Amino acid sequence: MTDAASTLPDEQPSQSRYIVGIDLGTTNSAVCCIDTTAAKPKLQVFQVPQLIGPGQIESRDTLPSFLYEAAAGEFPKGALKQPWDKSEQPQFVGEFAREQGKLVPGRSVESAKSWLCHPGVDRTAALLPWQGSDDVTRLSPVEVSAAYLSQIRSAWDAAHRQNPLAEQDVVITLPASFDEVARKLTIDAAKRAGLPRIHLIEEPQAAFYSWIDTHREDWQDHVSPGQTILVCDVGGGTSDFTLIRVRRLQDGTVQFHRIAVGDHLILGGDNIDLALANFLEPKLSKSGKLSARQWGSLVRRCRHAKEILLSDDASEELTISIPGTGSKLIGGSLQVQLSSTETQQLVLDGFFPEVPLDARPATKRSGFQEFGLPYAADAGITRYLAEFLQKHATIQLPGEEEPQPVRPDVILFNGGVFVSNLLRERVTSLIHSWYAEQVAGWKPLVLINERHDLAVARGAAYYGLVRRGEGVRISAGLPRTYYVGVDGASADAANAICLLPAGMEPGEEIELADRQFSLAIATPVEFPLYHSSTRLTDQPGQLVEVDPENFTTLPPIRTVLRSRKNKETTHIPVRLHARMTELGTLDMWCSEVEGNRSWQIQFDVRSATQTDQQAHAGQGESQGVLDSKVLEETAGPIQDVFENDLKAPPQELPQRLADVIELPREEWPPSLLRSLWAELLECESGRARSAAHEARWLNLTGFSLRPGTGVALDDWRVAETWKRLNGKLYHPNANCLAEWRILWRRIAAGLQGGQQQALVAPVLASWRDTARKTKTLKPGKKQHLRLTQADAEVWRMMGACELLPMKTKIELGEMALSLLEHDAFKSIHNALVWSIGRIGTRQPLYGPLNAVVSPDRVALWLGRLLELPSSPGLELSVMQLSRRTHDRYRDISEKTSERVLRWLSKRDNCEHLAELVREGGELAEDENALVFGEVLPVGLTLR
């Protein structure tokens, strides 16, 4: 996308005095500006004032993208105050934050930009620094990004009091493959920083704009029509590849046309730092494993070492020093030597290997999965580059009679990684070897980018001029053609209609006026979506056959379109119109031909550009669909119990259904279960007939919808169930209460975090009172409590809620352990043990990684669990708390792990549990059922 703005797409650029380009980088941020009132406007670097030491403020060309929070008393009073601050703040960003983070691990935040595009966590949650010190304030990736922008805004406003930054034309850069969520969150961060109106530009485009600006007078001497330019951008956190074609238009002018954008890769300088740290770790620790804080310090020092040892004037070796584990400040550090030869070999072989053009990246994830970030599966950047160039080996643009071969005639390097001449030469040499046989004596031309740390910010500012009608513009419409699947004439292949053509500018709308479609109403429907990076000349409304070699399948929309007019299933004629928004979402409207009704559908197109996003895999659907006659026959027994006047006893319903289906309950496929759920929801009012009816309805509804995910439309089904029940229980006896809690435990994976909190809050308040009374018991005095199955199920329900706030999880874990230590709660001990296993697990079934309880806390829980007398499920829960994940920020210490292994060795039939603690791995089928609470529907899995 060229211009993703927080304002309306057709808004004209403001005529403010300054155009300001901001590179919000993973490692360093930079600011460049243009004073448009000058006789000859030219780009200037805005040097950002920042702390470089206690009480020391200096202005630098770049602002290191690091945030540090000082501990109480760590620095003298006033040492952290910045010129524009009314009061001293413990949090500060910039160079001193980076350097202090090397010395004191656990108090600094880095790679916030990578976290903005991490789908495995709640990107708006306060989770950074990841596994930081307990007393450090946690911030969300959005808040950290806002802190960087706030520093820039405050510094700018102090230097330009008559022209505050919020009133200027501000352009912020992003990776080309940032998904629409990350783009929106960047806009949110800018608003938090006091910048309500910004524009976004992709970094590779900005880098090329910077080159154009540097060569305003002679750029046509370097590139010529027909050539293809490869922008190879590898920064601290991401890798981006972009292809730009140089075209001569009919009027003789030359146009730059972006023709391809690579996939989203969380792969860059951060990964090199991790690789160096992994290489050095065994040399620094006798056990081969550093503590989490030592590891954090090592990674930061490896970043500094990498920059030195990959430079053109690299020294032969460098001493890496990290704090020891003792209390000595002097003489307690650990040291190791890292040579330039070792560094260059590791980086070249691991990240820039010499591979053929037909090489493909590995799909199995590498070992560098630190900090919870979903790094690309293969570390080989050149393998991803080869795949990208092969994928776009030929491209046919609008106006061209036939596909044209694509060869990178010109290369523009960008990003901090390519500051190293060694790495630029490796990539250039590889590209030459891939294409040299096609043309004798051919070699790619490398454009010079003098300041990699400033190029993107310069280009962003230049783009601000382009938006005002000055300078040379890159035509950067859609790099792909998008299609929606339809029922076509061919029964042997999928058919699709071209919806949005390649080259279309974001914000434009397309109406397929010449085609009518039949749209199903009031019944579940699917809208398949495809894109093609090679079919770039298809026109809107064109019917095509989906060829797997040229089409990529995207996550479809599966939903139910409803209308107030029609409650019964029907079909109506509609026309389609669509647009790609500035934020990267694809919006489609189905408008009634003979009426004024219209349905808007928004597609998730992230997996078109993200290697860490997967489309719905159809786990449940893959298990097959029963004959529709069988499905119809299951409705009768359900209606007899909950609707008809036959007074069929509810306790007999499961057996009557089994007789109709002729399969054991554990073998009922998900498609059948969801059909049962639909019929049960239709008969929901029948649960009010009696306590027995309500208990049976709750039991079967939860059974039919478990685990709340895995089948198309499950999110809608869970939402409908929540809305229909609305917290209302007609017969609140012990049996119905138990079934109520079992239902929510079964479908917890499909609930939102707020829904889980709404379920847990009222019952937790009651158990707080119970736990408080337990503390007043005198030693040896027994108390008899009337506990029912409903009490056991409430703990299982709370344990299954993996999206609860960390504070609540810790309270639940501590409370459950306290109750386990009293005989008064013996009747629910099994449920308490199960709950602790789910609350403190190292590998959640469905929850995000930022919801995992810290290993230090879990080690204390393990100490108490290992002292308990044997009980069913205890070994499984101990395994869950100590299961190895190979993520040092989740795994318990080796000492605690060894203690657990000794304990398991004295138990029967615990060999596989011990293996999971020792080596990690996957749960067995029976173990998975125990962890979930029962057998999952056939074919469905969680995580």
Side-chain angles (χ1 to χ4, degrees):
M1 307 306 134
T2 306
D3 178 19
S6 58
T7 50
L8 295 174
D10 58 352
E11 180 181 347
Q12 294 299 312
S14 71
Q15 296 303 309
S16 56
R17 175 173 178 177
Y18 289 97
I19 299 171
V20 183
I22 300 176
D23 172 18
L24 197 62
T26 304
T27 305
N28 290 288
S29 298
V31 184
C32 290
C33 61
I34 300 174
D35 185 348
T36 59
T37 63
K40 289 186 177 181
K42 65 178 181 178
L43 276 163
Q44 297 177 316
V45 179
F46 174 65
Q47 293 190 321
V48 185
Q50 58 199 280
L51 282 166
I52 63 166
Q56 296 177 277
I57 300 287
E58 283 192 16
S59 297
R60 300 290 170 90
D61 283 355
T62 61
L63 175 75
S65 301
F66 293 78
L67 180 146
Y68 185 89
E69 181 177 303
E74 186 175 354
F75 300 105
K77 186 176 180 180
L80 304 181
K81 192 172 185 299
Q82 305 203 50
W84 47 82
D85 286 339
K86 293 182 179 180
S87 59
E88 187 177 37
Q89 302 296 323
Q91 294 174 340
F92 55 94
V93 302
E95 184 171 319
F96 186 42
R98 178 186 63 193
E99 297 306 310
Q100 195 65 14
K102 296 177 185 177
L103 300 174
V104 189
R107 306 197 69 85
S108 66
V109 177
E110 57 194 278
S111 302
K113 188 174 178 179
S114 297
W115 286 96
L116 273 181
C117 59
H118 186 348
V121 299
D122 179 355
R123 294 177 246 188
T124 62
L127 52 89
L128 300 177
W130 186 254
Q131 302 300 335
S133 301
D134 290 340
D135 63 327
V136 172
T137 304
R138 296 299 195 275
L139 301 172
S140 71
V142 177
E143 290 173 318
V144 177
S145 300
Y148 302 152
L149 290 171
S150 292
Q151 177 83 9
I152 292 169
R153 180 188 59 78
S154 298
W156 174 278
D157 290 353
H160 304 82
R161 298 188 182 278
Q162 302 303 315
N163 297 278
L165 189 59
E167 297 177 9
Q168 311 310 307
D169 260 354
V170 178
V171 181
I172 297 179
T173 65
L174 293 176
S177 51
F178 245 25
D179 66 76
E180 70 274 14
V181 177
R183 291 169 185 257
K184 178 64 168 62
L185 292 178
T186 302
I187 292 173
D188 291 345
K191 290 179 179 178
R192 284 173 178 261
L195 302 175
R197 183 180 175 281
I198 65 167
H199 299 277
L200 306 179
I201 182 175
E202 297 164 0
E203 289 167 1
Q205 284 189 69
F208 190 63
Y209 273 131
S210 175
W211 180 84
I212 292 175
D213 175 68
T214 305
H215 297 82
R216 288 191 189 190
E217 307 300 328
D218 65 347
W219 64 263
Q220 296 190 58
D221 296 335
H222 297 272
V223 296
S224 57
Q227 289 184 323
T228 299
I229 301 166
L230 167 67
V231 181
C232 193
D233 184 359
V234 182
T238 59
S239 292
D240 275 320
F241 309 125
T242 296
L243 289 174
I244 299 173
R245 175 74 64 81
V246 187
R247 305 177 69 197
R248 188 180 299 280
L249 303 182
Q250 292 182 349
D251 60 4
T253 60
V254 174
Q255 181 191 62
F256 295 107
H257 191 105
R258 188 191 64 182
I259 58 176
V261 175
D263 291 337
H264 175 63
L265 300 172
I266 299 186
L267 178 62
D270 287 352
N271 300 75
I272 296 176
D273 304 336
L274 289 171
L276 288 170
N278 270 284
F279 173 71
L280 294 176
E281 185 177 25
K283 300 182 179 183
L284 286 164
S285 173
K286 293 180 180 179
S287 66
K289 203 79 169 176
L290 295 170
S291 69
R293 294 197 174 184
Q294 287 176 314
W295 170 257
S297 179
L298 177 60
V299 171
R300 290 172 179 83
R301 293 179 186 279
C302 283
R303 176 180 293 115
H304 178 65
K306 170 195 67 183
E307 295 168 356
I308 294 175
L309 297 176
L310 289 178
S311 64
D312 295 340
D313 55 349
S315 56
E316 291 188 5
E317 64 178 16
L318 200 66
T319 299
I320 306 289
S321 179
I322 64 171
T325 56
S327 59
K328 293 182 179 179
L329 295 178
I330 301 175
S333 64
L334 302 176
Q335 294 186 347
V336 66
Q337 300 297 314
L338 178 64
S339 71
S340 59
T341 301
E342 291 171 327
T343 303
Q344 293 171 12
Q345 182 178 352
L346 186 147
V347 174
L348 289 175
D349 293 348
F351 294 88
F352 296 91
E354 294 180 312
V355 297
L357 184 56
D358 60 1
R360 293 294 177 268
T363 55
K364 183 178 180 182
R365 289 202 175 275
S366 69
F368 305 135
Q369 305 301 315
E370 297 291 344
F371 308 129
L373 287 170
Y375 290 126
D378 193 324
I381 293 172
T382 47
R383 277 189 280 269
Y384 286 105
L385 177 58
E387 181 185 48
F388 170 71
L389 292 174
Q390 278 291 81
K391 186 176 182 180
H392 303 285
T394 60
I395 289 181
Q396 183 178 1
L397 296 176
E400 296 178 344
E401 296 182 357
E402 58 185 25
Q404 301 294 316
V406 173
R407 179 188 65 203
D409 306 289
V410 181
I411 305 173
L412 177 65
F413 291 106
N414 189 58
V417 168
F418 287 122
V419 170
S420 168
N421 187 52
L422 176 73
L423 303 184
R424 296 198 304 272
E425 288 180 352
R426 167 56 66 90
V427 174
T428 305
S429 173
L430 259 181
I431 291 176
H432 175 259
S433 70
W434 290 342
Y435 296 96
E437 294 182 359
Q438 297 180 6
V439 180
W442 174 87
K443 63 164 45 175
L445 170 68
V446 177
L447 302 180
I448 303 302
N449 192 340
E450 295 180 356
R451 289 288 300 270
H452 287 264
D453 55 344
L454 298 177
V456 169
R458 287 175 58 94
Y462 180 83
Y463 171 64
L465 275 182
V466 171
R467 293 187 69 251
R468 297 191 180 195
E470 303 177 35
V472 181
R473 186 183 186 95
I474 301 172
S475 175
L478 292 180
R480 305 172 177 86
T481 304
Y482 286 85
Y483 308 79
V484 63
V486 295
D487 292 334
S490 174
D492 298 327
N495 294 274
I497 290 286
C498 176
L499 196 60
L500 296 178
M504 178 178 164
E505 292 289 337
E508 285 186 56
E509 289 194 14
I510 293 289
E511 182 175 1
L512 308 186
D514 298 332
R515 284 191 178 272
Q516 285 190 21
F517 302 86
S518 178
L519 182 67
I521 301 297
T523 186
V525 292
E526 176 180 282
F527 295 90
L529 188 67
Y530 310 92
H531 79 77
S532 175
S533 300
T534 55
R535 297 181 61 108
L536 303 182
T537 57
D538 290 343
Q539 295 302 303
Q542 183 175 341
L543 179 66
V544 299
E545 188 175 294
V546 177
D547 173 8
E549 292 186 3
N550 293 306
F551 288 80
T552 299
T553 303
L554 298 176
I557 290 293
R558 299 180 176 98
T559 188
V560 177
L561 302 178
R562 299 197 178 278
S563 170
R564 292 183 179 179
K565 291 184 180 180
N566 296 316
K567 293 187 178 180
E568 298 297 324
T569 301
T570 185
H571 288 76
I572 63 171
V574 297
R575 287 195 175 94
L576 303 182
H577 65 280
R579 70 169 179 170
M580 183 70 78
T581 70
E582 289 74 22
L583 294 180
T585 57
L586 193 161
D587 290 346
M588 182 178 78
W589 288 266
C590 304
S591 301
E592 188 178 16
V593 174
E594 299 175 353
N596 57 8
R597 289 179 295 176
S598 183
W599 293 265
Q600 181 182 0
I601 300 160
Q602 188 174 77
F603 288 94
D604 176 6
V605 297
R606 280 176 292 173
S607 64
T609 56
Q610 278 190 264
T611 56
D612 49 28
Q613 276 287 325
Q614 295 182 348
H616 171 70
Q619 293 176 334
E621 295 90 332
S622 67
Q623 298 304 309
V625 178
L626 288 183
D627 188 291
S628 58
K629 184 178 180 181
V630 175
L631 300 181
E632 292 172 5
E633 290 177 355
T634 61
I638 294 173
Q639 292 169 3
D640 288 345
V641 172
F642 297 107
E643 279 195 343
N644 300 335
D645 295 328
L646 300 179
K647 296 183 179 180
Q651 59 267 28
E652 295 179 4
L653 181 55
Q655 186 58 51
R656 290 186 63 192
L657 289 173
D659 292 341
V660 171
I661 298 166
E662 297 182 352
L663 284 173
R665 276 180 30 134
E666 63 271 13
E667 294 182 16
W668 292 0
S671 57
L672 165 66
L673 291 169
R674 298 315 188 251
S675 295
L676 294 178
W677 169 88
E679 189 60 43
L680 285 161
L681 213 67
E682 287 295 320
C683 303
E684 182 267 333
S685 60
R687 69 185 173 104
R689 290 184 168 186
S690 72
H693 282 81
E694 183 159 40
R696 179 55 58 200
W697 188 92
L698 293 168
N699 179 277
L700 275 178
T701 300
F703 181 80
S704 300
L705 192 50
R706 74 192 201 287
T709 184
V711 180
L713 291 175
D714 270 351
D715 54 346
W716 171 76
R717 293 187 184 95
V718 171
E720 287 294 303
T721 304
W722 180 270
K723 184 167 57 177
R724 189 69 63 87
L725 295 182
N726 197 26
K728 185 176 182 180
L729 198 60
Y730 291 108
H731 307 280
N733 62 18
N735 192 30
C736 287
L737 277 171
E739 294 296 349
W740 174 271
R741 290 157 182 171
I742 290 171
L743 182 151
W744 298 121
R745 187 257 298 165
R746 281 171 160 167
I747 68 171
L751 295 173
Q752 301 295 319
Q755 293 171 326
Q756 293 188 1
Q757 291 183 55
L759 287 172
V760 169
V763 291
L764 178 56
S766 174
W767 277 95
R768 283 195 189 105
D769 291 337
T770 302
R772 195 178 300 115
K773 293 175 183 177
T774 302
K775 293 180 180 179
T776 64
L777 289 176
K778 296 180 180 180
K781 183 178 180 180
K782 292 186 178 181
Q783 183 181 31
H784 299 286
L785 297 177
R786 291 185 177 181
L787 299 175
T788 66
Q789 185 63 24
D791 295 302
E793 294 303 338
V794 77
W795 277 100
R796 293 181 184 274
M797 180 190 75
M798 292 191 293
C801 293
E802 295 185 354
L803 303 182
L804 294 174
M806 185 60 65
K807 183 179 179 181
T808 304
K809 283 190 168 188
I810 292 173
E811 181 183 5
L812 284 172
E814 296 288 347
M815 188 184 299
L817 283 164
S818 296
L819 299 179
L820 276 171
E821 293 165 351
H822 287 276
D823 288 338
F825 301 94
K826 194 169 185 178
S827 62
I828 64 167
H829 272 199
N830 293 351
L832 292 169
V833 166
W834 185 90
S835 179
I836 291 172
R838 287 292 298 271
I839 293 168
T841 184
R842 303 296 81 207
Q843 180 60 68
L845 283 185
Y846 62 87
L849 297 182
N850 58 293
V852 175
V853 179
S854 74
D856 290 342
R857 172 80 61 175
V858 162
L860 297 175
W861 292 358
L862 281 167
R864 296 168 70 178
L865 284 176
L866 298 184
E867 297 299 324
L868 293 175
S870 182
S871 63
L874 181 59
E875 293 85 358
L876 184 73
S877 289
V878 167
M879 178 278 294
Q880 288 177 263
L881 270 62
S882 51
R883 180 180 173 187
R884 188 176 295 276
T885 66
H886 300 284
D887 179 347
R888 71 182 68 237
Y889 294 99
R890 281 186 285 158
D891 286 342
I892 59 175
S893 67
E894 291 296 329
K895 182 178 179 181
T896 304
S897 181
E898 288 298 326
R899 184 184 175 190
V900 169
L901 288 169
R902 289 194 300 271
W903 184 85
L904 286 172
S905 69
K906 300 174 184 177
R907 266 72 185 167
D908 295 331
N909 303 317
C910 289
E911 291 79 8
H912 189 244
L913 298 183
E915 182 182 339
L916 292 171
V917 174
R918 187 183 302 106
E919 303 293 340
E922 298 298 321
L923 297 174
E925 187 174 342
D926 60 329
E927 294 165 345
N928 199 60
L930 290 170
V931 169
F932 176 67
E934 62 187 303
V935 176
L936 283 165
V938 59
L940 294 187
T941 60
L942 286 172
R943 195 164 316 259

